[in-house]
Amino acid sequence: MSETLSPVLPDEVDRAARLLLERACDDNISIATAESCTGGLLASLLTDVEGAAHAFERGFVVYSNQAKAELLGIDPELIEGAGPVSEAVARAMAEGALRASEAQIALSVTGFAGRGAPGDEPGLVHFACARTGRETAHREEHFGDVGRGPARIECIRVGLEMLSEAL
Amino acid sequence: MSETLSPVLPDEVDRAARLLLERACDDNISIATAESCTGGLLASLLTDVEGAAHAFERGFVVYSNQAKAELLGIDPELIEGAGPVSEAVARAMAEGALRASEAQIALSVTGFAGRGAPGDEPGLVHFACARTGRETAHREEHFGDVGRGPARIECIRVGLEMLSEAL
């Protein structure tokens, strides 16, 4: 089976995104994202609902470690020490995105959607969700070696769940 | 016909993305994006090719005007004066993304993928592509009132063409 780019998102993911954005609009809350392995897919979903786009404030696609450090103000030694796919970096990404934006809620995703380098666990993904004045939430998922497309869809699903919980 | 989120990308767009990333890898060139109306869709495509991900350096999803100004160093008066969907802002976004990244090529997209506000031309999109040491290229497209999904696909197609020309 060949890998396909831009996986088709299941209907319930679309519905979850719409619902989330409507709630965010109602509550006058705006959202920021900091994505590594999903590479902007979550942001593109959150800007794809006509009339609810203003609930999305900005997104950071921080694929390289240098981008994580520079755009989100993460200490390069933390990335070096804990590794870019870790709870510590996921938390730092979400909190950094909150600081570096005007949003009230920021979600981060960092993981190995594909095979990664030897020694990396395929499908290991860390998520964090930061909201002003609250404890930052964290989730660690093990999606397994399901392929890049399906892993990214699972990432979107978990990301939307965490954003929804934070609202 | 209802609007669908995350449009399925045609095969030739997938192929164009793969080809582009392979060429970028061969030439040791890295790419940055600054997206408004496509909201990270181009970045997500450019990070979805196994083994070629390092050709993508970072992406900015600058949906709000404030994000455009803060992340890409664009003068707010330029955005105010020319409007966020304009040649001047597209050029400033691409050149700002080049400055604010480690990439050698940066592409920007700003437009009205959906209906926009009254007075906005549906489907009007400005693109710019900046490469270190070269003149910044610009394209203006009028996709018409084709709906958000189809307009975004056309944006991806043009963006990949411009990146390919810059390589």
Side-chain angles (χ1 to χ4, degrees):
Chain A
M1 208 181 74
S2 79
E3 288 281 340
T4 55
L5 301 172
S6 307
V8 187
L9 294 174
D11 280 353
E12 78 267 22
V13 173
D14 275 13
R15 274 196 298 275
R18 275 180 204 280
L19 205 67
L20 177 78
L21 287 166
E22 284 163 12
R23 281 181 57 202
C25 283
D26 288 347
D27 296 354
N28 210 20
I29 293 285
S30 67
I31 296 168
T33 52
E35 301 178 71
S36 184
C37 62
T38 45
L41 192 61
L42 184 58
S44 77
L45 183 68
L46 294 176
T47 53
D48 207 7
V49 176
E50 198 104 41
H54 56 280
F56 184 82
E57 210 269 323
R58 71 186 71 179
F60 304 87
V61 184
V62 286
Y63 216 67
S64 64
N65 287 347
Q66 200 167 352
K68 289 180 184 71
E70 289 177 11
L71 298 183
L72 305 173
I74 306 178
D75 184 350
E77 284 182 19
L78 176 72
I79 304 175
E80 183 87 21
V85 178
S86 61
E87 174 174 348
V89 169
R91 287 181 180 274
M93 283 169 66
E95 289 166 4
L98 205 58
R99 274 195 312 272
S101 73
E102 300 293 316
Q104 288 81 45
I105 298 180
L107 186 98
S108 70
V109 192
T110 180
F112 306 113
R115 287 276 165 84
D120 295 342
E121 179 197 323
L124 169 64
V125 185
H126 287 270
F127 303 80
C129 190
R131 182 169 176 168
T132 323
R134 291 203 200 159
E135 286 270 303
T136 299
H138 165 257
R139 261 171 80 171
E140 174 178 338
E141 297 284 342
H142 301 261
F143 300 125
D145 192 3
V146 293
R148 209 168 172 90
R152 282 181 150 200
I153 292 180
E154 289 309 313
C155 287
I156 299 301
R157 206 188 297 269
V158 171
L160 292 175
E161 271 176 35
M162 290 184 77
L163 284 170
S164 184
E165 283 160 17
L167 262 181
Chain B
M1 208 182 73
S2 79
E3 288 280 341
T4 54
L5 300 173
S6 306
V8 187
L9 295 175
D11 280 352
E12 78 267 24
V13 173
D14 275 13
R15 274 197 300 274
R18 274 179 204 280
L19 205 66
L20 177 79
L21 287 166
E22 283 163 13
R23 282 180 57 201
C25 284
D26 288 348
D27 296 354
N28 210 19
I29 292 286
S30 67
I31 296 168
T33 52
E35 301 178 72
S36 184
C37 60
T38 45
L41 191 60
L42 184 57
S44 77
L45 182 68
L46 294 176
T47 53
D48 208 6
V49 176
E50 197 104 42
H54 57 281
F56 184 83
E57 210 269 323
R58 71 186 70 178
F60 304 87
V61 185
V62 285
Y63 217 67
S64 64
N65 287 346
Q66 200 166 354
K68 289 179 185 72
E70 288 177 11
L71 298 182
L72 304 173
I74 305 177
D75 184 352
E77 285 183 18
L78 176 73
I79 303 175
E80 183 87 21
V85 178
S86 61
E87 174 174 347
V89 169
R91 287 181 180 274
M93 285 169 66
E95 289 166 5
L98 205 58
R99 273 195 312 272
S101 73
E102 300 292 316
Q104 288 80 45
I105 298 180
L107 186 98
S108 70
V109 194
T110 181
F112 307 113
R115 287 277 163 83
D120 294 343
E121 178 197 322
L124 169 65
V125 185
H126 286 271
F127 303 80
C129 190
R131 182 167 175 171
T132 324
R134 291 203 200 160
E135 286 270 303
T136 298
H138 163 258
R139 261 171 81 171
E140 175 179 338
E141 296 285 342
H142 301 261
F143 299 126
D145 192 4
V146 293
R148 210 168 170 89
R152 282 183 149 200
I153 293 180
E154 290 307 315
C155 288
I156 300 302
R157 206 189 295 270
V158 172
L160 293 174
E161 271 176 32
M162 290 185 77
L163 284 170
S164 185
E165 283 159 17
L167 261 181

